Amino acid sequence: MRPLISVDAAAAAIQATTVAAATEQVALHDAVGRVLAQPVLAEGPQPPFDRVMMDGVAMQWQPVMPALLRVAGMQMAGMQGGALTDPDTCIEIATGAVLPDGCDCILPIEQLRRTPDGYALKETATPAPGQFIHRRGSDCAAGSPVLAPGVRIGAPQMALLAANGVAHVTVARRPAVAVVATGDELVDVGATLPPGRIRRSNDLALMAALQTAGLGQASLHHLADEPTVLAAALAALLASHDTLVLSGGVSMGQRDYLPDALQALGVRCQFHGIAQRPGKPMWFGVGPAGQRVFALPGNPVSSLVCLVRYVRPALLAGMGLAPEPPEQLPLASALPAFPLAQFIPVRLGRDAQGNAVAEPVGSRNSGDFTALAGTAGVVELAAGAGADAGQRLPLHRW
């Protein structure tokens, strides 16, 4: 095994291999959760007309208002704009309607009293020029940038795309990811469990962490610890995927064949071993066609920690998603120092003032995935450093 590298050096080495993803066009309703790959400009001024903001009446403001406003008409949302010619009259109006010509004030229905002859202003009425009118172009002018590439399409982005007539949107293509569990001891979830065997769980956990991050559905595979089997299967996966995420077979055991098998297929090792716990044996390489291969330790906690710290950010960066700094949370209790960087599972709690805190959860070892139940992710503690209660640490969510 090569000398261990630091957590930051490992992340930088992976980042240096990032290649911009190809793009594709999808229908707007299929774009939820995708990463935008085009600039979006305002189709026209927003709002496109002087827009009424309250139900009530549209009127012309006067320094001395008449005691009674006679009704000269009605204008609902979606109707073409009308006009007011007599300042002693009003037009009944609805939220979202076009402001009628000749009007410069909206009085809400709550400030009016309906009479047989029209509307009388209540004592609480506060008419003022321009009130409750959303002026044309006050949000943005036609052609103004409203969305930039590199954002994930959620509810606000979807509203902006729809409001500006983007029926088909250009997004980053999701990576073709194969998640591979290796090991003779593994059996499928629904199979009978013989003595000395365990059920496959790592590949499903890794798949879930990728899918919930908007990276699409990974293909799942199980390979035995046999060099000839590994060589043939890995060659096929490299030919059909641009990213391989492997679990197991990368440490120093007699049947840890993966590093040699990958390098025999032309995958160039970038590093093997990170100065951290858990997850020290992680291996990373780049294939002959630029495929990225993340070979993670087989212990469940180790594999999941490495995926959320290294694999998932790398895949999201490849799709052009603008990076965000890690969330920082204060610790509920102190943590001791250790020579290697540490990733400690935490639950989210509240301190006496109601502020969010990270509560460390003891894990007996890197195979103790039962300890992850109820945790939100792991906090990262630098090599050789302890942390006091209240100190803020970066949180990597599952």
Side-chain angles (χ1 to χ4, degrees), residues 309 323-329 380 393-396:
R309 179 60 178 87
E324 295 182 359
E327 184 178 357
Q328 301 275 337
L329 281 183
E380 180 176 338
L393 294 180
L395 170 67
H396 306 283

Short mmCIF file of all heavy atoms in Angstrom, two decimals, residues 309 323-329 380 393-396:
data_model
loop_
_atom_site.label_atom_id
_atom_site.label_comp_id
_atom_site.label_asym_id
_atom_site.label_seq_id
_atom_site.Cartn_x
_atom_site.Cartn_y
_atom_site.Cartn_z
N ARG A 309 -18.22 11.64 1.71
CA ARG A 309 -17.12 12.62 1.78
C ARG A 309 -16.44 12.85 0.44
O ARG A 309 -16.03 13.96 0.12
CB ARG A 309 -16.08 12.16 2.82
CG ARG A 309 -14.87 13.12 2.95
CD ARG A 309 -15.33 14.49 3.39
NE ARG A 309 -14.21 15.43 3.57
CZ ARG A 309 -13.68 16.17 2.62
NH1 ARG A 309 -14.14 16.07 1.38
NH2 ARG A 309 -12.70 17.02 2.89
N PRO A 323 -20.53 24.37 -5.95
CA PRO A 323 -20.19 23.80 -4.64
C PRO A 323 -20.70 24.67 -3.50
O PRO A 323 -20.75 25.89 -3.61
CB PRO A 323 -18.65 23.75 -4.67
CG PRO A 323 -18.27 24.83 -5.63
CD PRO A 323 -19.35 24.87 -6.68
N GLU A 324 -21.07 24.01 -2.43
CA GLU A 324 -21.49 24.72 -1.21
C GLU A 324 -20.56 24.32 -0.08
O GLU A 324 -20.16 23.16 0.02
CB GLU A 324 -22.94 24.37 -0.84
CG GLU A 324 -23.96 24.84 -1.86
CD GLU A 324 -25.39 24.52 -1.41
OE1 GLU A 324 -25.53 23.92 -0.33
OE2 GLU A 324 -26.32 24.87 -2.14
N PRO A 325 -20.18 25.25 0.77
CA PRO A 325 -19.34 24.87 1.91
C PRO A 325 -20.09 23.93 2.84
O PRO A 325 -21.33 23.99 2.94
CB PRO A 325 -19.05 26.22 2.60
CG PRO A 325 -20.16 27.12 2.16
CD PRO A 325 -20.53 26.68 0.78
N PRO A 326 -19.37 23.01 3.50
CA PRO A 326 -20.05 22.07 4.41
C PRO A 326 -20.81 22.81 5.51
O PRO A 326 -20.40 23.88 5.96
CB PRO A 326 -18.91 21.24 5.00
CG PRO A 326 -17.76 21.43 4.06
CD PRO A 326 -17.93 22.79 3.46
N GLU A 327 -21.90 22.25 5.89
CA GLU A 327 -22.67 22.76 7.02
C GLU A 327 -21.82 22.64 8.28
O GLU A 327 -21.12 21.64 8.48
CB GLU A 327 -23.93 21.91 7.14
CG GLU A 327 -24.92 22.33 8.19
CD GLU A 327 -26.16 21.43 8.18
OE1 GLU A 327 -26.25 20.53 7.32
OE2 GLU A 327 -27.03 21.65 9.05
N GLN A 328 -21.84 23.66 9.13
CA GLN A 328 -21.05 23.67 10.36
C GLN A 328 -22.01 23.64 11.56
O GLN A 328 -22.90 24.48 11.66
CB GLN A 328 -20.18 24.92 10.44
CG GLN A 328 -19.20 25.08 9.29
CD GLN A 328 -17.91 24.32 9.49
OE1 GLN A 328 -17.53 24.03 10.62
NE2 GLN A 328 -17.23 24.02 8.40
N LEU A 329 -21.81 22.67 12.45
CA LEU A 329 -22.67 22.58 13.64
C LEU A 329 -21.81 22.47 14.89
O LEU A 329 -20.75 21.83 14.88
CB LEU A 329 -23.57 21.35 13.54
CG LEU A 329 -24.82 21.44 12.66
CD1 LEU A 329 -25.61 20.15 12.76
CD2 LEU A 329 -25.69 22.61 13.06
N GLU A 380 -16.56 15.91 10.74
CA GLU A 380 -15.17 15.66 10.37
C GLU A 380 -14.25 16.38 11.36
O GLU A 380 -14.36 17.59 11.56
CB GLU A 380 -14.91 16.17 8.96
CG GLU A 380 -13.49 15.97 8.47
CD GLU A 380 -13.31 16.41 7.02
OE1 GLU A 380 -14.31 16.47 6.28
OE2 GLU A 380 -12.15 16.70 6.64
N LEU A 393 -17.99 21.92 13.82
CA LEU A 393 -17.31 21.00 12.91
C LEU A 393 -18.16 20.83 11.65
O LEU A 393 -19.39 20.95 11.69
CB LEU A 393 -17.09 19.64 13.56
CG LEU A 393 -16.13 19.57 14.76
CD1 LEU A 393 -16.04 18.13 15.27
CD2 LEU A 393 -14.75 20.09 14.39
N PRO A 394 -17.50 20.54 10.51
CA PRO A 394 -18.27 20.30 9.29
C PRO A 394 -19.08 19.01 9.38
O PRO A 394 -18.59 17.99 9.88
CB PRO A 394 -17.19 20.22 8.19
CG PRO A 394 -15.92 19.91 8.91
CD PRO A 394 -16.05 20.52 10.28
N LEU A 395 -20.30 19.08 8.90
CA LEU A 395 -21.21 17.93 8.90
C LEU A 395 -21.40 17.45 7.47
O LEU A 395 -21.74 18.23 6.58
CB LEU A 395 -22.57 18.33 9.51
CG LEU A 395 -23.70 17.30 9.37
CD1 LEU A 395 -23.39 16.04 10.21
CD2 LEU A 395 -25.03 17.89 9.79
N HIS A 396 -21.19 16.17 7.26
CA HIS A 396 -21.47 15.52 5.98
C HIS A 396 -22.70 14.64 6.17
O HIS A 396 -22.64 13.62 6.85
CB HIS A 396 -20.27 14.69 5.51
CG HIS A 396 -18.99 15.45 5.46
ND1 HIS A 396 -18.68 16.33 4.45
CD2 HIS A 396 -17.91 15.47 6.31
CE1 HIS A 396 -17.49 16.86 4.65
NE2 HIS A 396 -17.01 16.37 5.79
#
